Amino acid sequence: MATAPRKTSASRKTAAGTARGASRTDAIALLRADHKHVSELFEQYESARSTAKKKTLVASICQELSVHAQIEEEIFYPAVKAALKDKELVPEAQVEHQSLKDLIAQVRDKEPDGEMFDAKIKVMSEYVKHHVKEEQNEMFVRAKKTRLDLQQLGEQLAARKQSLMDDPSQLEGAPAGQAPVENFA
């Protein structure tokens, strides 16, 4: 009796990397891969010791979260809200995004200069974990039960994400002249 090959850590990382950059994935897979990638960046920050490494990681975290929030707000949330006729999940997620954007504004392009800065990153990480848990356990589950074309939505998300990563000046609230950030994936 044949069984499916077991996924190794390397193949899972490849699958996550593919979902982040590929246009042939469904919306939920792409968003889950983003969640995993940002979680990994937060873990790297927690173990980082040098100020330069922390600053680079924070720049990546801020860019990844900003791009992710924008593609959700522009594409995913409107589609889910219409499909679910939702008046609670999506508005709550948008409020959470605004709180994250406020935290991002407090740390973006700042020097990681001590415990208050580290505390802001820790709070941001915990806030993201809470938000991700709600999206993955509630919104994504309900979205899968609709007639949404998650493949088509995924292609739209991937294209918009690539556009924002290539030209971060398109990001809402982006500092003027913001350059792309090195990716740690």
Side-chain angles (χ1 to χ4, degrees):
M1 178 180 215
T3 59
R6 188 168 177 253
K7 284 193 174 187
T8 64
S9 176
S11 66
R12 278 192 297 272
K13 285 181 182 176
T14 302
T18 301
R20 265 199 322 279
S23 62
R24 297 297 306 158
T25 190
D26 78 44
I28 292 171
L30 182 142
L31 296 173
R32 281 183 183 269
D34 280 0
H35 293 163
K36 185 176 187 318
H37 178 59
V38 169
S39 176
E40 290 167 354
L41 291 173
F42 279 121
E43 288 174 18
Q44 288 177 36
Y45 182 89
E46 285 182 31
S47 63
R49 297 293 168 240
S50 80
T51 301
K53 176 79 170 171
K54 285 183 174 186
K55 187 172 183 174
T56 303
L57 284 165
V58 168
S60 293
I61 290 167
C62 290
Q63 183 176 14
E64 292 287 338
L65 288 175
S66 297
V67 168
H68 180 84
Q70 191 160 328
I71 65 173
E72 281 186 331
E73 291 169 6
E74 289 178 358
I75 300 166
F76 189 70
Y77 288 172
V80 168
K81 186 173 183 173
L84 296 176
K85 297 175 180 43
D86 175 66
K87 293 183 178 172
E88 186 179 323
L89 282 176
V90 171
E92 184 179 319
Q94 290 172 314
V95 169
E96 290 173 352
H97 276 191
Q98 187 55 55
S99 296
L100 282 169
K101 289 175 188 177
D102 293 344
L103 278 170
I104 288 168
Q106 292 177 40
V107 298
R108 176 181 272 143
D109 299 326
K110 305 284 191 296
E111 287 298 316
D113 59 358
E115 57 191 41
M116 283 306 291
F117 188 91
D118 288 343
K120 288 176 184 179
I121 300 303
K122 182 68 172 174
V123 168
M124 185 186 300
S125 171
E126 302 217 347
Y127 212 80
V128 168
K129 284 177 191 170
H130 166 80
H131 178 75
V132 164
K133 183 178 176 184
E134 285 186 347
E135 274 189 353
Q136 292 185 172
N137 294 340
E138 296 176 42
M139 188 182 294
F140 292 177
V141 171
R142 289 183 59 197
K144 284 181 181 181
K145 294 177 183 175
T146 69
R147 293 181 176 224
L148 278 174
D149 184 343
L150 294 174
Q151 194 71 34
Q152 164 75 30
L153 215 50
E155 291 172 11
Q156 291 175 12
L157 289 168
R160 181 62 173 142
K161 178 179 179 177
Q162 190 61 56
S163 173
L164 292 169
M165 294 300 274
D166 290 345
D167 181 9
S169 68
Q170 297 177 53
L171 285 168
E172 294 172 7
Q178 182 173 347
V181 176
E182 178 183 342
N183 193 341
F184 283 90

